[in-house]
Amino acid sequence: MRSNVKKLIFSIGIPLIGGGIIGFITTGAGAYEDMVKPPLSPPGWVFPVVWSILYIMMGIALYLVLISPQSDEVKSLSKRTFASQLIINFLWPVIFFILKTYWAAVVTLGALIILVVITIVDFRKSDKRAALVLVPYLIWCLFALYLNIGVAVLN
């Protein structure tokens, strides 16, 4: 039981802490309020709230995989795909807000979406709930792609 609590804290902590660091680094860097944005663009305060929730959900999904009865080989693949998408997730705000290379950020988001789909497929092998918990993340990434393309076109 105690090791499961440690796994849960670790699983949630990794994306949440990483996302917090990236959020701190990029705060104010992109002047989101000053950008010309496409329709349906939410106010800036929405992003840290949504991302915090999504990082927690990502951690819960990872935890469900870690405690699943699947083989270490299946779990290892799932952890690698999860780590890959998380790295790309953390790179995107740097590319978009700090480097301000909006089209490169579009490509990065496309890669992220592909990796999230692969992660969902891999997680489903261990725990169907883990895969389902990642669906809102995929939907948000698709919405982010729309916003990113809009910003790239309009700026």
Side-chain angles (χ1 to χ4, degrees):
M1 180 72 163
R2 178 168 232 159
S3 69
N4 282 353
V5 171
K6 287 180 182 179
K7 285 179 184 177
L8 179 62
I9 291 168
F10 173 81
S11 298
I12 293 174
I14 294 295
L16 202 54
I17 291 168
I21 291 168
I22 292 299
F24 178 77
I25 291 169
T26 59
T27 296
Y32 176 77
E33 271 63 26
D34 297 332
M35 292 178 189
V36 180
K37 296 177 281 300
L40 305 177
S41 295
W45 65 265
V46 168
F47 294 98
V49 172
V50 170
W51 276 112
S52 295
I53 293 166
L54 291 174
Y55 286 136
I56 291 167
M57 292 173 73
M58 290 163 61
I60 291 168
L62 177 60
Y63 170 75
L64 291 170
V65 168
L66 293 178
I67 64 165
S68 78
Q70 283 297 331
S71 69
D72 288 342
E73 185 179 326
V74 170
K75 289 183 195 182
S76 180
L77 176 62
S78 295
K79 289 187 286 188
R80 283 195 306 272
T81 57
F82 181 83
S84 297
Q85 66 80 28
L86 196 59
I87 289 167
I88 300 298
N89 177 300
F90 292 159
L91 285 175
W92 178 86
V94 173
I95 295 166
F96 185 88
F97 289 110
I98 294 176
L99 300 177
K100 295 178 178 40
T101 52
Y102 302 133
W103 287 109
V106 168
V107 172
T108 303
L109 263 177
L112 176 61
I113 289 166
I114 291 167
L115 287 169
V116 170
V117 169
I118 293 168
T119 302
I120 289 171
V121 169
D122 285 349
F123 275 26
R124 191 173 190 287
K125 295 172 187 172
S126 294
D127 189 312
K128 290 178 185 176
R129 299 169 302 170
L132 289 174
V133 169
L134 292 179
V135 170
Y137 174 39
L138 176 60
I139 292 167
W140 183 256
C141 288
L142 291 166
F143 180 61
L145 181 63
Y146 156 75
L147 294 174
N148 192 153
I149 292 169
V151 167
V153 168
L154 297 170
N155 293 276

